[in-house]
Amino acid sequence: MNAVTPALPAPIGLLAELTHRCPLRCPYCSNPLELDRRSAELDTATWERVLAEAAALGVLHVHLSGGEPTARQDIVAITAACARLGLYSNLITSGVGGALAKLDALSDAGLDHVQLSIQAAEASNAERIGGLRNAQPQKFAFAERVTALGLPLTLNAVIHRGNIGEVPAIIDLAVQLGAKRLEVAHTQYYGWAYVNRAALMPAKPEVDRSIRVVEEARERLKGRLVIDLVVPDYYAKYPKACAGGWGRRLMNVSPTGKVLPCHAAETIPGLEFWHVQDHSLAEIWARSPAFSAYRGTGWMKEPCRSCDRRETDWGGCRCQALALAGDAAATDPACSLSPLHARVQALAVAESALETAPDYRYRTIGGAPAAIPEGVAP
Ligand code: SF4
Ligand code: FES
């Protein structure tokens, strides 16, 4: 490993959020509520420099993401830069809009992997969730071309109340489309998902059923399809090590060049983010106040501070702790050891029991919702 200092290992992954523009409007999008406009996006030369700095720092994987990364005119040049620098490139795409038209050129430029999102298996439901008509046939045509080009394909399905009954059909679809991997990822409640939480929260029995379906399919499809399962935080016993632990594995560069420890870090007030226009990635990784704020365990309060799992899950998600507990340095309330955990579970049960789910507040540029759901702090 290319260590920055003996005590601070290099990041493994760079999430390059090339743009917030996207033809889809998913109500669980992890992008911030205030989306960046095209006019403020970094130019090609700056992205190429950032990628070179990432390679020099020791980054191995670059996730070309957004928004919809193929909405950028220069997506092929950016992908080619990854290939030149020996960076493994993963295109995280919706497969709609201009994605298919650029796919052959992306493959020729050295793209390594494609991760295609699907909103549901059934077309009308998928298109209602994504807020775009005729999206499903575009996605299927895109997936077909990915496999025809010999590129490895992963499908990603974010699971929530509106599609949880379709988990078996989503698994069948992944096999049918020739995916080698499927991510069944229960919704993480930050960004747009947090404001849509009451519309998205599934009931616990349905969550348990979806987990059993995945476990059964893993056995049945061994050797054909790998299924990754992200379980829902609000019903969990322990939280996830969000982003692999704050400032430990991942750097996230926003469309305008702001460097974040995770994609929701901007929701935490008072953090100072550095920009790629002002500092190198190596400087930002080692010295940026935002990366230092919750790195390691020194910032932890009880019960995390004395917990055996503190270097396993790193106290969970800081952004979720802020949203739910009102304190980014609190134990993530998704943890069963948090004093707020019972309230979080009660909130999930109450929201999932609503007879009619509220309408989605679709993701839009310039249309951030005014009302943010309250947390569970007393
Ligand atoms: Fe993780 Fe903190 Fe919960 Fe322990 S108390 S399991 S470190 S979140
Ligand atoms: Fe920010 Fe989890 S999303 S730490």
Side-chain angles (χ1 to χ4, degrees):
M1 187 185 290
N2 183 0
V4 178
T5 71
L8 179 60
I12 293 170
L14 181 83
L15 182 65
E17 284 185 349
L18 299 175
T19 179
H20 282 158
R21 291 173 281 140
C22 185
L24 292 184
R25 300 183 290 138
C26 303
Y28 49 73
C29 181
S30 62
N31 285 159
L33 300 180
E34 296 288 349
L35 295 162
D36 293 332
R37 292 174 188 277
R38 177 186 200 147
S39 53
E41 290 174 4
L42 296 180
D43 62 17
T44 314
T46 306
W47 273 116
E48 288 174 342
R49 173 180 55 81
V50 167
L51 291 169
E53 290 175 1
L57 183 55
V59 165
L60 303 174
H61 300 129
V62 173
H63 305 281
L64 301 167
S65 177
E68 171 50 52
T70 62
R72 293 259 323 194
Q73 296 297 338
D74 56 1
I75 183 65
V76 175
I78 289 172
T79 304
C82 291
R84 266 198 317 278
L85 293 159
L87 293 163
Y88 185 92
S89 56
N90 174 30
L91 182 75
I92 300 180
T93 179
S94 64
V96 300
L100 180 57
K102 291 176 180 149
L103 187 55
D104 283 46
L106 288 167
S107 176
D108 290 345
L111 181 66
D112 290 302
H113 181 268
V114 176
Q115 181 181 315
L116 173 65
S117 69
I118 52 161
Q119 281 60 39
E122 199 271 314
S124 62
N125 192 32
E127 292 170 10
R128 183 184 69 85
I129 295 166
L132 181 72
R133 284 216 191 99
N134 202 32
Q136 199 79 332
Q138 292 183 61
K139 286 172 181 275
F140 290 0
F142 183 86
E144 196 178 315
R145 189 66 195 150
V146 171
T147 54
L149 288 166
L151 284 165
L153 174 67
T154 294
L155 283 198
N156 171 280
V158 174
I159 305 300
H160 48 84
R161 177 177 178 155
N163 65 4
I164 194 163
E166 290 198 43
V167 171
I170 288 169
I171 294 169
D172 292 346
L173 182 63
V175 173
Q176 189 189 319
L177 293 177
K180 292 281 173 266
R181 187 176 280 268
L182 168 67
E183 294 177 358
V184 176
H186 279 270
T187 306
Q188 304 293 296
Y189 293 98
Y190 35 65
W192 291 82
Y194 192 73
V195 296
N196 280 298
R197 192 180 62 200
L200 296 170
M201 187 65 71
K204 178 81 165 53
E206 286 193 274
V207 169
D208 293 343
R209 199 174 311 128
S210 74
I211 293 170
R212 284 198 301 275
V213 165
V214 167
E215 285 168 352
E216 179 278 323
R218 277 176 172 160
E219 277 302 307
R220 179 167 48 89
L221 298 169
K222 219 174 240 173
R224 289 172 68 195
L225 180 72
V226 174
I227 309 179
D228 295 325
L229 175 67
V230 178
V231 296
D233 274 351
Y234 283 36
Y235 294 122
K237 187 170 180 199
Y238 297 120
K240 288 178 266 301
C242 198
W246 186 278
R248 286 179 49 77
R249 304 173 75 86
L250 190 74
M251 300 186 91
N252 181 342
V253 182
S254 83
T256 61
K258 204 182 282 183
V259 189
L260 312 168
C262 70
H263 46 235
E266 283 181 273
T267 59
I268 301 178
L271 285 184
E272 181 188 333
F273 303 106
W274 286 2
H275 288 72
V276 296
Q277 295 93 326
D278 305 324
H279 300 275
S280 70
L281 277 190
E283 276 177 330
I284 295 172
W285 181 248
R287 297 198 294 109
S288 147
F291 276 82
S292 308
Y294 301 109
R295 187 176 259 149
T297 56
W299 55 273
M300 286 180 176
K301 300 179 179 177
E302 293 295 348
C304 290
R305 186 184 294 162
S306 55
C307 178
D308 287 348
R309 290 179 55 87
R310 66 186 178 276
E311 293 194 6
T312 304
D313 60 40
W314 303 96
C317 175
R318 296 307 88 227
C319 305
Q320 185 154 273
L322 176 78
L324 291 173
D327 175 6
T331 295
D332 183 341
C335 178
S336 54
L337 302 174
S338 159
L340 296 174
H341 186 67
R343 286 174 185 241
V344 169
Q345 290 203 315
L347 184 142
V349 168
E351 288 183 340
S352 66
L354 293 172
E355 204 163 315
T356 313
D359 289 341
Y360 294 146
R361 287 191 265 184
Y362 285 106
R363 166 204 201 276
T364 51
I365 289 187
I372 311 288
E374 286 186 7
V376 292

